[in-house]
Amino acid sequence: MENEIKKLIGKIFDIDVLNISEDKIVPDNIEKWDSMGHLNLITSLEEDFSIEFEPEEIVEMLNGFKEIVKIINQKIN
Amino acid sequence: MTNLQEESGNNIINFCFEKDIYDLMSYFKIILGNNHILSNDLSFIKWQYFNKTLNRYNFIISKNKENKTINGVIGYIPNNFYGEYCEKKDYIWLSNWYAEKNTGALGIKLIDYLKRHEHNCGIGAINLTKEAEIIYKMLKYKIGKLNKYFIVNENIKEFKLIKYNEKNKNLNLDEKNNLKKYCFKKYNGDISFIHKKYVTHPYYNYFVYQIENNKNILAYIIFRISCYKSNCLLRLVDFIGDIEILSKCYYEFQNLLNFYNCEAMEFYCYGIDEKYLFKCGFKNAEYENIFIPYHFEPYSENDVILNFAVSGKNPKYIFKGDGDRERPGILKEVQ
């Protein structure tokens, strides 16, 4: 699952996410990760994992990759 | 005092205090232009945004952590800013939402900060950009648009301001209902919401009337008049009271149109059952395909759709006077 999320982030923000440490996969480090980009990511995650995020979760996921993994884990387990 | 400052990535988010206001005005100069009222007129900004109790402005700003320059802002107008107003008093209307590129989704962070730090029963915005609409949708705000209604002055034969002709003339007016005349009297009360928001507005001259029946006040209407080349439009911006009363006011509205020499009355609103409006002669400008100008400062013939987003405890009715839609834009050309 984590790799799938990384690939998605890489594709949406046009970066080589596999060569970035997980701590650094946050909006402030990635140029294209703005509000609209974040919403594109949310939409793709919802489609790929067949889940739906609450507004609070959408905001929390701005804390980056690790938070995204944590929230998706909570939702699918 | 509680520390309200929050670090978020490369940004520092906080309320706008007195020490920040000139920097914010300079930021507005960059994004809104030199002539915009928010770039120039501090007394207007104080009137619309300064919270005397908390000694801060109703703006959330973000600064770059390293060079301390402003890189994002969101303004807001709580309904209770104008005083007690029971229907929507804890509702907050957003305005002026901007975030620089490469700031890590700052736009969403600003609105989240506001939601967490300012007491509210709901947040809304009127007149959304495409990008803002997408963000609001994703954050599960309800999206809609204000309907635009109008009544034309029966005594005018040739309309110069609105694109109206005889084929649009048929009314669904409930004649009998409208003969039960209410009395329209110029407002002379002391309701703080009306006084602060409209009577003391620094730029626009609002007219406030109370609708009475046997000396009992049933409702208030608030309007202003916009003109272009001596042709005028009466713009109803707010209504306080029982909506059903509106359905019996056609002849009083005609009196106002004649008294103020206006071609028509315009009324942007959402949430009102149209049957009440049709009963007193209002028509839906969209159904009738009627052009009614929106911009008078300067005048332009572009039609405007006012869409909105609301969250939380949604207001039952939304009027053009809600939010910041009644804020003048370009300083020099305000009428």
Side-chain angles (χ1 to χ4, degrees):
Chain A
M1 181 191 74
E2 294 188 14
N3 274 343
E4 200 178 333
I5 296 171
K6 275 186 189 172
K7 274 184 197 166
L8 209 55
I9 290 173
K11 190 176 147 198
I12 289 172
F13 302 127
D14 198 19
I15 52 161
D16 182 7
V17 77
L18 298 173
N19 288 327
I20 304 174
S21 80
E22 291 184 353
D23 287 339
K24 302 278 183 196
I25 307 176
V26 292
D28 282 280
N29 283 337
I30 297 169
E31 196 182 319
K32 290 184 179 170
W33 199 335
D34 57 11
S35 294
M36 294 304 290
H38 187 61
L39 298 182
N40 286 337
L41 175 63
I42 297 295
T43 308
S44 299
L45 290 168
E46 286 183 335
E47 282 171 9
D48 281 20
F49 291 96
S50 303
I51 50 180
E52 195 177 332
F53 298 110
E54 295 302 318
E56 296 74 21
E57 291 169 331
I58 293 172
V59 175
E60 282 167 23
M61 286 157 80
L62 285 171
N63 289 324
F65 174 74
K66 286 187 171 177
E67 191 70 28
I68 293 171
V69 172
K70 190 178 122 192
I71 289 171
I72 293 178
N73 260 326
Q74 284 167 355
K75 288 190 104 68
I76 59 179
N77 292 325
Chain B
M1 193 178 85
T2 321
N3 185 14
L4 298 164
Q5 183 171 299
E6 279 186 12
E7 287 196 17
S8 177
N10 300 323
N11 311 306
I12 299 167
I13 301 177
N14 205 344
F15 285 92
C16 174
F17 292 95
E18 201 70 76
K19 66 182 170 55
D20 304 308
I21 195 64
Y22 287 107
D23 288 342
L24 181 59
M25 289 170 75
S26 298
Y27 183 63
F28 281 138
K29 264 186 192 165
I30 297 165
I31 51 180
L32 298 170
N34 284 332
N35 292 333
H36 196 275
I37 193 165
L38 296 180
S39 312
N40 287 282
D41 191 339
L42 183 57
S43 63
F44 178 82
I45 294 174
K46 279 186 189 285
W47 177 82
Q48 179 115 77
Y49 291 100
F50 190 65
N51 182 328
K52 285 179 190 162
T53 314
L54 297 168
N55 204 28
R56 70 189 188 207
Y57 291 86
N58 288 334
F59 288 107
I60 310 292
I61 54 171
S62 166
K63 291 180 184 176
N64 179 288
K65 212 190 276 181
E66 283 165 19
N67 63 22
K68 304 284 186 286
T69 56
I70 293 177
N71 56 10
V73 61
I74 192 163
Y76 63 99
I77 304 167
N79 266 347
N80 62 16
F81 182 65
Y82 300 109
E84 286 298 304
Y85 174 39
C86 54
E87 197 181 332
K88 295 181 274 191
K89 76 171 181 176
D90 291 328
Y91 211 80
I92 287 179
W93 293 99
L94 302 179
S95 70
N96 306 97
W97 186 18
Y98 310 101
E100 299 287 301
K101 284 188 186 302
N102 305 331
T103 49
L106 180 59
I108 296 177
K109 290 174 185 171
L110 287 168
I111 203 169
D112 174 57
Y113 180 98
L114 171 65
K115 203 174 166 186
R116 287 185 288 108
H117 287 86
E118 189 68 72
H119 170 74
N120 69 84
C121 68
I123 293 177
I126 300 175
N127 203 21
L128 320 172
T129 61
K130 275 183 186 165
E131 289 80 7
E133 186 173 332
I134 293 168
I135 295 173
Y136 287 126
K137 259 186 202 164
M138 204 70 194
L139 296 175
K140 299 201 164 42
Y141 281 60
K142 177 181 169 183
I143 308 289
K145 68 167 182 168
L146 300 190
N147 295 312
K148 189 177 192 174
Y149 298 96
F150 69 98
I151 291 177
V152 297
N153 185 335
E154 282 183 349
N155 291 329
I156 288 188
K157 302 277 178 270
E158 194 185 345
F159 294 88
K160 291 178 178 164
L161 207 52
I162 70 170
K163 306 278 183 284
Y164 178 86
N165 57 46
E166 290 295 313
K167 73 177 170 57
N168 302 110
K169 215 167 182 179
N170 294 332
L171 293 176
N172 296 315
L173 183 64
D174 181 344
E175 293 268 3
K176 200 175 152 192
N177 205 32
N178 278 275
L179 287 174
K180 291 174 195 164
K181 272 197 171 183
Y182 290 132
C183 175
F184 273 35
K185 269 194 181 167
K186 268 204 165 174
Y187 165 81
N188 58 359
D190 58 358
I191 297 170
S192 62
F193 178 82
I194 293 177
H195 191 78
K196 189 162 182 210
K197 186 167 183 178
Y198 295 113
V199 177
T200 63
H201 195 284
Y203 278 87
Y204 291 137
N205 183 21
Y206 287 99
F207 300 90
V208 185
Y209 279 77
Q210 53 201 44
I211 305 176
E212 294 184 4
N213 187 14
N214 295 326
K215 295 194 175 167
N216 293 318
I217 300 171
L218 304 174
Y220 300 93
I221 57 166
I222 297 106
F223 61 88
R224 67 182 169 95
I225 291 165
S226 295
C227 301
Y228 176 65
K229 290 183 179 173
S230 309
N231 304 301
C232 299
L233 182 67
L234 190 152
R235 316 179 88 177
L236 188 53
V237 298
D238 212 340
F239 178 87
I240 300 168
D242 182 354
I243 289 293
E244 203 179 341
I245 289 159
L246 270 180
S247 67
K248 300 170 185 172
C249 295
Y250 179 74
Y251 294 107
E252 285 79 6
F253 287 150
Q254 285 298 325
N255 288 340
L256 287 179
L257 287 169
N258 285 317
F259 185 78
Y260 291 102
N261 196 22
C262 292
E263 278 192 8
M265 171 185 279
E266 161 217 85
F267 186 31
Y268 275 99
C269 60
Y270 172 82
I272 300 179
D273 188 336
E274 283 191 330
K275 76 180 178 205
Y276 294 125
L277 296 169
F278 293 156
K279 269 184 182 179
C280 76
F282 273 107
K283 293 186 142 203
N284 185 314
E286 189 183 359
Y287 301 165
E288 304 284 328
N289 200 21
I290 298 295
F291 170 75
I292 300 169
Y294 181 87
H295 292 294
F296 287 78
E297 305 155 9
Y299 176 81
S300 80
E301 289 207 348
N302 296 329
D303 210 349
V304 170
I305 292 171
L306 291 180
N307 53 359
F308 67 81
V310 287
S311 76
K313 196 177 172 189
N314 297 338
K316 194 171 176 188
Y317 306 114
I318 303 172
F319 303 111
K320 183 165 172 275
D322 289 320
D324 73 334
R325 282 303 86 204
E326 281 292 292
R327 174 181 46 70
I330 304 299
L331 199 59
K332 283 190 290 190
E333 299 180 63
V334 172
Q335 290 174 6

Short mmCIF file of all heavy atoms in Angstrom, two decimals, chain A residues 27-36 38-39 42-43 46 52-56 58-59 62, chain B residues 8-11 101-109 112 115 130-132 134-135 138-140:
data_model
loop_
_atom_site.label_atom_id
_atom_site.label_comp_id
_atom_site.label_asym_id
_atom_site.label_seq_id
_atom_site.Cartn_x
_atom_site.Cartn_y
_atom_site.Cartn_z
N PRO A 27 3.98 18.69 1.67
CA PRO A 27 3.68 19.75 0.70
C PRO A 27 4.76 20.83 0.61
O PRO A 27 5.04 21.33 -0.48
CB PRO A 27 2.36 20.34 1.23
CG PRO A 27 1.72 19.23 1.96
CD PRO A 27 2.85 18.43 2.56
N ASP A 28 5.37 21.18 1.74
CA ASP A 28 6.35 22.26 1.70
C ASP A 28 7.61 21.93 0.91
O ASP A 28 8.33 22.84 0.50
CB ASP A 28 6.74 22.66 3.13
CG ASP A 28 5.67 23.53 3.74
OD1 ASP A 28 5.64 24.72 3.46
OD2 ASP A 28 4.81 22.97 4.47
N ASN A 29 7.86 20.65 0.72
CA ASN A 29 9.06 20.25 -0.03
C ASN A 29 8.79 19.96 -1.50
O ASN A 29 9.71 19.70 -2.25
CB ASN A 29 9.67 18.98 0.59
CG ASN A 29 10.42 19.31 1.85
OD1 ASN A 29 10.85 20.44 2.04
ND2 ASN A 29 10.55 18.34 2.73
N ILE A 30 7.54 19.95 -1.86
CA ILE A 30 7.20 19.53 -3.22
C ILE A 30 6.44 20.66 -3.91
O ILE A 30 5.34 21.05 -3.49
CB ILE A 30 6.37 18.23 -3.20
CG1 ILE A 30 7.23 17.11 -2.60
CG2 ILE A 30 5.86 17.85 -4.59
CD1 ILE A 30 6.50 15.84 -2.26
N GLU A 31 7.07 21.21 -4.94
CA GLU A 31 6.58 22.44 -5.57
C GLU A 31 5.11 22.36 -6.00
O GLU A 31 4.34 23.28 -5.78
CB GLU A 31 7.47 22.74 -6.78
CG GLU A 31 7.33 24.16 -7.28
CD GLU A 31 8.19 24.39 -8.51
OE1 GLU A 31 9.32 23.90 -8.55
OE2 GLU A 31 7.68 25.05 -9.43
N LYS A 32 4.73 21.24 -6.60
CA LYS A 32 3.37 21.17 -7.16
C LYS A 32 2.31 20.76 -6.13
O LYS A 32 1.13 20.66 -6.47
CB LYS A 32 3.36 20.20 -8.34
CG LYS A 32 4.12 20.74 -9.54
CD LYS A 32 4.02 19.83 -10.73
CE LYS A 32 4.77 20.44 -11.92
NZ LYS A 32 4.90 19.51 -13.02
N TRP A 33 2.73 20.54 -4.90
CA TRP A 33 1.77 20.11 -3.87
C TRP A 33 1.09 21.35 -3.25
O TRP A 33 1.33 21.70 -2.11
CB TRP A 33 2.46 19.27 -2.81
CG TRP A 33 1.52 18.43 -1.97
CD1 TRP A 33 0.20 18.66 -1.72
CD2 TRP A 33 1.85 17.21 -1.28
NE1 TRP A 33 -0.31 17.67 -0.92
CE2 TRP A 33 0.68 16.75 -0.63
CE3 TRP A 33 3.02 16.47 -1.14
CZ2 TRP A 33 0.65 15.60 0.15
CZ3 TRP A 33 2.99 15.32 -0.36
CH2 TRP A 33 1.82 14.89 0.27
N ASP A 34 0.29 22.00 -4.05
CA ASP A 34 -0.48 23.14 -3.54
C ASP A 34 -1.90 22.66 -3.21
O ASP A 34 -2.17 21.45 -3.23
CB ASP A 34 -0.50 24.29 -4.56
CG ASP A 34 -1.04 23.85 -5.91
OD1 ASP A 34 -1.59 22.74 -6.01
OD2 ASP A 34 -0.92 24.62 -6.88
N SER A 35 -2.82 23.58 -2.92
CA SER A 35 -4.17 23.17 -2.51
C SER A 35 -4.86 22.34 -3.59
O SER A 35 -5.48 21.32 -3.31
CB SER A 35 -5.03 24.40 -2.18
OG SER A 35 -4.52 25.05 -1.05
N MET A 36 -4.75 22.80 -4.85
CA MET A 36 -5.40 22.06 -5.93
C MET A 36 -4.73 20.70 -6.13
O MET A 36 -5.40 19.69 -6.37
CB MET A 36 -5.35 22.86 -7.24
CG MET A 36 -6.14 24.15 -7.21
SD MET A 36 -7.87 23.91 -6.78
CE MET A 36 -8.45 23.09 -8.25
N HIS A 38 -3.25 18.99 -3.86
CA HIS A 38 -3.66 18.15 -2.73
C HIS A 38 -5.02 17.51 -3.01
O HIS A 38 -5.23 16.33 -2.74
CB HIS A 38 -3.70 19.00 -1.46
CG HIS A 38 -3.95 18.21 -0.21
ND1 HIS A 38 -3.09 17.23 0.23
CD2 HIS A 38 -4.96 18.24 0.70
CE1 HIS A 38 -3.56 16.69 1.35
NE2 HIS A 38 -4.70 17.29 1.65
N LEU A 39 -5.90 18.31 -3.57
CA LEU A 39 -7.23 17.77 -3.86
C LEU A 39 -7.19 16.71 -4.98
O LEU A 39 -7.92 15.74 -4.94
CB LEU A 39 -8.20 18.90 -4.22
CG LEU A 39 -8.41 19.92 -3.10
CD1 LEU A 39 -9.41 20.97 -3.51
CD2 LEU A 39 -8.87 19.24 -1.81
N ILE A 42 -6.10 13.63 -3.20
CA ILE A 42 -7.20 13.07 -2.41
C ILE A 42 -8.16 12.29 -3.32
O ILE A 42 -8.54 11.16 -3.02
CB ILE A 42 -7.98 14.22 -1.69
CG1 ILE A 42 -7.09 14.95 -0.69
CG2 ILE A 42 -9.26 13.70 -1.02
CD1 ILE A 42 -6.62 14.13 0.47
N THR A 43 -8.52 12.92 -4.45
CA THR A 43 -9.45 12.26 -5.38
C THR A 43 -8.87 10.93 -5.87
O THR A 43 -9.57 9.91 -5.91
CB THR A 43 -9.72 13.18 -6.60
OG1 THR A 43 -10.12 14.45 -6.10
CG2 THR A 43 -10.83 12.63 -7.48
N GLU A 46 -8.91 8.34 -3.09
CA GLU A 46 -10.28 7.86 -2.86
C GLU A 46 -10.67 6.83 -3.92
O GLU A 46 -11.28 5.81 -3.61
CB GLU A 46 -11.27 9.04 -2.85
CG GLU A 46 -11.18 9.87 -1.58
CD GLU A 46 -12.20 11.01 -1.50
OE1 GLU A 46 -12.65 11.49 -2.57
OE2 GLU A 46 -12.53 11.42 -0.40
N GLU A 52 -13.53 7.17 1.25
CA GLU A 52 -13.88 8.60 1.18
C GLU A 52 -13.35 9.30 2.42
O GLU A 52 -13.51 8.79 3.53
CB GLU A 52 -15.40 8.76 1.09
CG GLU A 52 -15.79 10.15 0.65
CD GLU A 52 -17.31 10.31 0.48
OE1 GLU A 52 -17.99 9.31 0.19
OE2 GLU A 52 -17.77 11.43 0.67
N PHE A 53 -12.70 10.42 2.22
CA PHE A 53 -12.11 11.14 3.35
C PHE A 53 -13.05 12.22 3.87
O PHE A 53 -13.77 12.87 3.12
CB PHE A 53 -10.79 11.79 2.92
CG PHE A 53 -9.75 10.81 2.49
CD1 PHE A 53 -9.36 10.72 1.16
CD2 PHE A 53 -9.14 9.95 3.41
CE1 PHE A 53 -8.39 9.80 0.76
CE2 PHE A 53 -8.18 9.03 3.02
CZ PHE A 53 -7.82 8.96 1.68
N GLU A 54 -12.98 12.42 5.17
CA GLU A 54 -13.71 13.51 5.81
C GLU A 54 -12.88 14.79 5.66
O GLU A 54 -11.65 14.71 5.53
CB GLU A 54 -13.92 13.22 7.30
CG GLU A 54 -14.82 12.04 7.58
CD GLU A 54 -16.21 12.21 6.97
OE1 GLU A 54 -16.75 13.33 7.06
OE2 GLU A 54 -16.73 11.25 6.38
N PRO A 55 -13.53 15.97 5.73
CA PRO A 55 -12.77 17.22 5.58
C PRO A 55 -11.60 17.32 6.56
O PRO A 55 -10.52 17.78 6.20
CB PRO A 55 -13.82 18.30 5.88
CG PRO A 55 -15.12 17.69 5.51
CD PRO A 55 -14.98 16.22 5.82
N GLU A 56 -11.80 16.86 7.80
CA GLU A 56 -10.72 16.94 8.80
C GLU A 56 -9.53 16.08 8.36
O GLU A 56 -8.37 16.44 8.57
CB GLU A 56 -11.20 16.47 10.18
CG GLU A 56 -12.29 17.33 10.81
CD GLU A 56 -13.66 17.16 10.16
OE1 GLU A 56 -13.89 16.12 9.50
OE2 GLU A 56 -14.51 18.08 10.31
N ILE A 58 -8.75 15.34 5.29
CA ILE A 58 -8.12 16.00 4.13
C ILE A 58 -7.10 17.03 4.62
O ILE A 58 -6.01 17.15 4.07
CB ILE A 58 -9.19 16.65 3.22
CG1 ILE A 58 -10.05 15.55 2.59
CG2 ILE A 58 -8.57 17.54 2.18
CD1 ILE A 58 -11.27 16.05 1.83
N VAL A 59 -7.47 17.74 5.68
CA VAL A 59 -6.55 18.74 6.24
C VAL A 59 -5.36 18.05 6.91
O VAL A 59 -4.21 18.42 6.69
CB VAL A 59 -7.29 19.66 7.25
CG1 VAL A 59 -6.31 20.61 7.92
CG2 VAL A 59 -8.38 20.45 6.54
N LEU A 62 -2.33 16.96 4.98
CA LEU A 62 -1.32 17.94 4.57
C LEU A 62 -0.03 17.78 5.37
O LEU A 62 0.98 18.40 5.07
CB LEU A 62 -1.87 19.37 4.75
CG LEU A 62 -2.89 19.82 3.72
CD1 LEU A 62 -3.50 21.15 4.12
CD2 LEU A 62 -2.24 19.95 2.35
N SER B 8 3.69 26.16 10.20
CA SER B 8 3.19 25.13 9.29
C SER B 8 4.15 25.06 8.11
O SER B 8 4.12 25.91 7.22
CB SER B 8 1.78 25.48 8.84
OG SER B 8 1.33 24.54 7.93
N GLY B 9 5.03 24.07 8.13
CA GLY B 9 6.04 23.98 7.08
C GLY B 9 6.92 25.21 7.10
O GLY B 9 7.46 25.59 8.14
N ASN B 10 7.01 25.88 5.96
CA ASN B 10 7.86 27.08 5.88
C ASN B 10 7.09 28.36 6.20
O ASN B 10 7.57 29.46 5.94
CB ASN B 10 8.44 27.20 4.46
CG ASN B 10 9.27 25.99 4.10
OD1 ASN B 10 9.97 25.45 4.96
ND2 ASN B 10 9.18 25.54 2.85
N ASN B 11 5.89 28.21 6.76
CA ASN B 11 5.04 29.39 6.99
C ASN B 11 4.70 29.56 8.46
O ASN B 11 4.65 28.59 9.21
CB ASN B 11 3.73 29.23 6.21
CG ASN B 11 3.98 28.85 4.76
OD1 ASN B 11 4.72 29.53 4.06
ND2 ASN B 11 3.39 27.76 4.33
N LYS B 101 2.13 30.64 -4.66
CA LYS B 101 2.55 29.31 -5.13
C LYS B 101 3.72 28.82 -4.27
O LYS B 101 4.41 29.62 -3.63
CB LYS B 101 3.01 29.39 -6.59
CG LYS B 101 1.85 29.50 -7.57
CD LYS B 101 2.38 29.38 -8.99
CE LYS B 101 1.32 29.63 -10.02
NZ LYS B 101 0.16 28.78 -9.97
N ASN B 102 3.93 27.54 -4.27
CA ASN B 102 5.04 26.91 -3.53
C ASN B 102 4.99 27.19 -2.04
O ASN B 102 6.02 27.43 -1.40
CB ASN B 102 6.41 27.35 -4.07
CG ASN B 102 6.53 27.08 -5.55
OD1 ASN B 102 5.91 26.15 -6.06
ND2 ASN B 102 7.28 27.90 -6.24
N THR B 103 3.80 27.21 -1.49
CA THR B 103 3.68 27.43 -0.04
C THR B 103 3.01 26.23 0.63
O THR B 103 2.48 26.35 1.74
CB THR B 103 2.89 28.72 0.26
OG1 THR B 103 1.69 28.73 -0.51
CG2 THR B 103 3.70 29.96 -0.03
N GLY B 104 3.03 25.10 -0.03
CA GLY B 104 2.57 23.87 0.61
C GLY B 104 1.09 23.83 0.94
O GLY B 104 0.73 23.60 2.09
N ALA B 105 0.28 24.07 -0.06
CA ALA B 105 -1.19 24.01 0.13
C ALA B 105 -1.66 24.96 1.23
O ALA B 105 -2.51 24.62 2.06
CB ALA B 105 -1.64 22.58 0.40
N LEU B 106 -1.07 26.14 1.24
CA LEU B 106 -1.36 27.12 2.28
C LEU B 106 -2.83 27.53 2.32
O LEU B 106 -3.38 27.80 3.39
CB LEU B 106 -0.47 28.35 2.03
CG LEU B 106 -0.59 29.52 2.99
CD1 LEU B 106 -0.27 29.08 4.42
CD2 LEU B 106 0.35 30.64 2.58
N GLY B 107 -3.49 27.57 1.16
CA GLY B 107 -4.89 27.98 1.12
C GLY B 107 -5.75 27.16 2.07
O GLY B 107 -6.52 27.69 2.87
N ILE B 108 -5.59 25.84 1.99
CA ILE B 108 -6.39 24.95 2.86
C ILE B 108 -5.98 25.15 4.33
O ILE B 108 -6.83 25.14 5.22
CB ILE B 108 -6.20 23.47 2.43
CG1 ILE B 108 -6.75 23.26 1.02
CG2 ILE B 108 -6.91 22.53 3.40
CD1 ILE B 108 -6.56 21.85 0.47
N LYS B 109 -4.69 25.37 4.56
CA LYS B 109 -4.22 25.56 5.95
C LYS B 109 -4.81 26.83 6.56
O LYS B 109 -5.12 26.88 7.75
CB LYS B 109 -2.69 25.61 5.98
CG LYS B 109 -2.04 24.27 5.70
CD LYS B 109 -0.53 24.41 5.61
CE LYS B 109 0.12 23.09 5.21
NZ LYS B 109 1.56 23.26 4.91
N ASP B 112 -8.38 26.19 7.54
CA ASP B 112 -8.39 25.29 8.69
C ASP B 112 -8.05 26.05 9.97
O ASP B 112 -8.67 25.85 11.02
CB ASP B 112 -7.39 24.15 8.45
CG ASP B 112 -7.26 23.25 9.66
OD1 ASP B 112 -8.30 22.71 10.09
OD2 ASP B 112 -6.14 23.09 10.18
N LYS B 115 -11.07 28.03 11.08
CA LYS B 115 -12.11 27.16 11.62
C LYS B 115 -11.80 26.76 13.06
O LYS B 115 -12.69 26.66 13.90
CB LYS B 115 -12.20 25.90 10.73
CG LYS B 115 -13.51 25.18 10.79
CD LYS B 115 -13.52 24.07 9.77
CE LYS B 115 -14.66 23.12 10.03
NZ LYS B 115 -14.63 21.96 9.16
N LYS B 130 -13.16 29.52 -9.61
CA LYS B 130 -13.28 28.10 -9.96
C LYS B 130 -12.47 27.23 -9.01
O LYS B 130 -12.92 26.18 -8.57
CB LYS B 130 -12.80 27.87 -11.40
CG LYS B 130 -13.89 28.13 -12.41
CD LYS B 130 -13.41 27.84 -13.82
CE LYS B 130 -14.50 28.26 -14.80
NZ LYS B 130 -14.02 28.35 -16.15
N GLU B 131 -11.24 27.70 -8.71
CA GLU B 131 -10.37 26.93 -7.83
C GLU B 131 -10.98 26.83 -6.44
O GLU B 131 -10.99 25.76 -5.83
CB GLU B 131 -8.97 27.57 -7.73
CG GLU B 131 -8.13 27.46 -8.98
CD GLU B 131 -8.50 28.50 -10.02
OE1 GLU B 131 -9.32 29.40 -9.72
OE2 GLU B 131 -7.99 28.41 -11.16
N ALA B 132 -11.49 27.95 -5.94
CA ALA B 132 -12.08 27.95 -4.59
C ALA B 132 -13.28 27.00 -4.54
O ALA B 132 -13.46 26.26 -3.57
CB ALA B 132 -12.49 29.37 -4.19
N ILE B 134 -13.78 24.29 -6.22
CA ILE B 134 -13.30 22.90 -6.15
C ILE B 134 -12.85 22.56 -4.72
O ILE B 134 -13.17 21.50 -4.18
CB ILE B 134 -12.14 22.69 -7.16
CG1 ILE B 134 -12.67 22.81 -8.59
CG2 ILE B 134 -11.47 21.33 -6.95
CD1 ILE B 134 -11.60 22.92 -9.66
N ILE B 135 -12.14 23.49 -4.10
CA ILE B 135 -11.66 23.24 -2.73
C ILE B 135 -12.85 23.11 -1.78
O ILE B 135 -12.90 22.19 -0.96
CB ILE B 135 -10.70 24.37 -2.27
CG1 ILE B 135 -9.44 24.36 -3.14
CG2 ILE B 135 -10.32 24.19 -0.79
CD1 ILE B 135 -8.49 25.53 -2.90
N MET B 138 -14.60 19.80 -2.16
CA MET B 138 -13.81 18.71 -1.57
C MET B 138 -13.93 18.72 -0.05
O MET B 138 -13.93 17.67 0.59
CB MET B 138 -12.35 18.92 -2.00
CG MET B 138 -11.54 17.69 -1.99
SD MET B 138 -12.05 16.60 -3.32
CE MET B 138 -11.24 15.11 -2.80
N LEU B 139 -14.02 19.91 0.51
CA LEU B 139 -14.15 20.03 1.97
C LEU B 139 -15.62 19.89 2.40
O LEU B 139 -15.97 20.22 3.52
CB LEU B 139 -13.56 21.37 2.45
CG LEU B 139 -12.04 21.52 2.22
CD1 LEU B 139 -11.58 22.93 2.60
CD2 LEU B 139 -11.24 20.48 2.99
N LYS B 140 -16.44 19.44 1.47
CA LYS B 140 -17.84 19.11 1.71
C LYS B 140 -18.72 20.31 2.08
O LYS B 140 -19.66 20.20 2.86
CB LYS B 140 -17.96 18.00 2.76
CG LYS B 140 -17.28 16.70 2.31
CD LYS B 140 -17.80 15.51 3.04
CE LYS B 140 -17.47 14.18 2.42
NZ LYS B 140 -16.15 13.97 1.90
#
